[in-house]
Amino acid sequence: MPIDLRMPPVPVSFEVYPPRSEAGVAALHETIRHLARVDPRFISVTYGAGGSTGGRSLELLTHILRETHIEPLAHLTCVGNTWAGAASLIREFLDAGITSFLALRGDPPEGLSEDDAFLGDLESAAQLVQLIDRVQAERAPYTEAPIPGVPGAVRVERRRSVDIAVAAFPNGHPRSRHASEHIDALLAKEAAGATLAISQLFFHADDYLGFVQRSRDSGVTLPILPGIMPVTSPTRLRRVLELTGEPLPAQLAIGLEIEPTSEGQHEFGVAYAAQLARDVVAGGAPGVHLYAFNNHDTVLAVLREAGILTHPRQKEAAR
Ligand code: FAD
C-alpha cells in the first residue's frame, strides 16, 4: 500500500552513540545538526552497559539539549549497578535537564555469561522503569530560576515529568525461554510505567506488524516504534546479525553480495530500508526510528527515498 502523502508528516527519530574519540566529536555534532533539520521527535543516545560510556552519553545528550530544538532521549542500562548507584545515575541525568529515557536491562560485559557476570541489583528493565519514576517523584515538583535584575526574586516553574521508553523485540529476545516471554516482559514494562516502546531492528515488515498485533492481542497498549537499520554492506550485515541474533534476511544478503561496487551496495541497502519504512508506516506504525550509526547521509537518504519527509522544510533539509 503506498503512503498517503496528504497525511501529516510521519514522526521520525534517530539513534546515535557517544563518539569513541575526540575526532569523532566534531563529526557527530555536525551529523546532529543535519538530523535536527528534519525535526525528529527525539534523538536517542546509547549507553554502554556497566557505565563504560556514561559520561560521554551525558555530554552528548547535553549537547543536543543546548544546541538543538530536539528532545534528547537517554538510554540507561541497569546491568552491573546497585539500586543506590542506579538512582544516583538517574539523578545526575535529571539534574542535567534530561527528561526522556529508554530504560534497558543491558547485556553482560563481553566474554561473561549471564551466570558469572555481576548483573547488579536490578533484574529487568521493568525495575529500572519503576526506579526512574520513583527518583523523579522524590524531586521537588518545581524549579526555581533567579529573575535577572530583581534581587531575591525567583521564577517558579513546574517540572516536566519524565517519559520512559523501553525496548521491544519483534523476533523475540535471545534470552526468552518461550515464544511469548518477550511480550510478557513488554507488558510488565508497560505496567511499570513505560509509555513508548522502540523495537529492535528487523528486516521484514511482517515481523514487526505481526509482533505489534500479537502484543495488542496480549493487552499491550503503548505505541511501538519500529527500529530500522539501513545495512549498506555485507560486512555490516554479518556484524549486525552476530550482535542481534536476528535471522538472515536472504533478499538483502543476496542483493548486497551481488552488487559489484560499494556505491551499488549502499544504494541497495538504502532502497531496502526505505521500502521497509514505507511498508511499516502503511501497516500503521506510529513513526520510524532509524539507527543512524553516527552518519546522517544514509538515514536521510532512506527517509527521502521512502517519501516520509513531506514538509517542504524537511525535504529541503534532507537534500
Ligand atoms: P528486559 O526487558 O529486562 O528483558 C529482556 C528479555 O529477557 C525479555 O524480553 C524476556 O524475554 C526476558 N525477561 C525479562 N524479564 C524476565 C523475567 N522476569 N523472567 C524471565 N525472563 C525475563 N544495550 C545497551 O547496553 N545499551 C544501549 O544503549 C542499548 N540500546 C538499545 C536500544 C534498543 C531499541 C534495543 C531494542 C536494545 C538496546 N540495547 C542496549 C540492548 C538491550 O540492553 C539488550 O537487548 C538486553 O539483553 C535486553 O534489554 P531489555 O531492556 O529488553 O531487558
Side-chain angles (χ1 to χ4, degrees), residues 15-291:
E15 176 187 295
V16 295
Y17 55 83
R20 297 191 179 103
S21 67
E22 270 310 305
V25 174
L28 181 56
H29 287 181
E30 186 59 12
T31 283
I32 284 171
R33 202 173 62 75
H34 282 278
L35 296 177
R37 289 176 65 209
V38 299
D39 295 330
R41 206 177 129 202
F42 60 82
I43 296 178
S44 80
V45 177
T46 64
Y47 187 88
S52 57
T53 65
R56 283 183 284 135
S57 295
L58 189 52
E59 252 172 55
L60 184 55
L61 289 155
T62 316
H63 170 84
I64 298 170
L65 188 66
R66 293 212 187 106
E67 304 297 328
T68 75
H69 61 293
I70 308 304
E71 175 80 14
L73 182 147
H75 295 207
L76 277 187
T77 59
C78 38
V79 149
N81 222 333
T82 58
W83 283 105
S88 92
L89 185 69
I90 295 162
R91 248 176 248 120
E92 189 185 347
F93 277 58
L94 289 170
D95 287 345
I98 305 304
T99 51
S100 293
F101 294 92
L102 174 60
L104 297 148
R105 179 177 169 276
D107 290 311
E110 219 166 305
L112 293 177
S113 79
E114 298 268 341
D115 300 327
D116 55 13
F118 168 54
L119 293 180
D121 289 347
L122 288 81
E123 286 160 7
S124 70
Q127 292 186 355
L128 182 59
V129 172
Q130 281 174 298
L131 185 62
I132 295 172
D133 204 35
R134 194 173 340 137
V135 170
Q136 79 136 356
E138 283 164 3
R139 286 155 59 85
Y142 55 85
T143 57
E144 290 180 5
I147 300 176
V150 190
V154 287
R155 185 185 310 114
V156 175
E157 277 180 7
R158 212 174 162 72
R159 250 190 232 286
R160 231 194 83 173
S161 63
V162 296
D163 293 312
I164 310 173
V166 290
F169 297 85
N171 289 317
H173 187 275
R175 208 161 65 98
S176 291
R177 283 160 300 192
H178 58 81
S180 64
E181 195 182 50
H182 59 293
I183 295 184
D184 294 343
L186 186 56
L187 270 171
K189 292 190 261 195
E190 179 169 353
T195 52
L196 175 72
I198 305 178
S199 92
Q200 176 64 291
L201 62 93
F202 56 90
F203 294 105
H204 303 285
D206 285 345
D207 291 349
Y208 164 80
L209 296 170
F211 166 71
V212 172
Q213 191 52 54
R214 288 194 302 284
S215 301
R216 298 285 174 254
D217 293 345
S218 307
V220 173
T221 62
L222 45 63
I224 303 174
L225 268 184
I228 293 182
M229 181 180 288
V231 180
T232 54
S233 76
T235 320
R236 169 67 60 83
L237 180 61
R238 277 193 289 277
R239 178 86 183 121
V240 163
L241 297 181
E242 229 173 75
L243 287 175
T244 59
E246 287 295 304
L248 180 85
Q251 193 202 340
L252 176 62
I254 295 167
L256 290 174
E257 286 294 347
I258 60 175
E259 284 292 340
T261 63
S262 57
E263 290 78 17
Q265 290 172 353
H266 188 269
E267 248 173 61
F268 187 87
V270 165
Y272 190 95
Q275 185 61 50
L276 197 53
R278 266 198 300 274
D279 289 347
V280 291
V281 169
V288 174
H289 182 69
L290 285 152
Y291 296 102

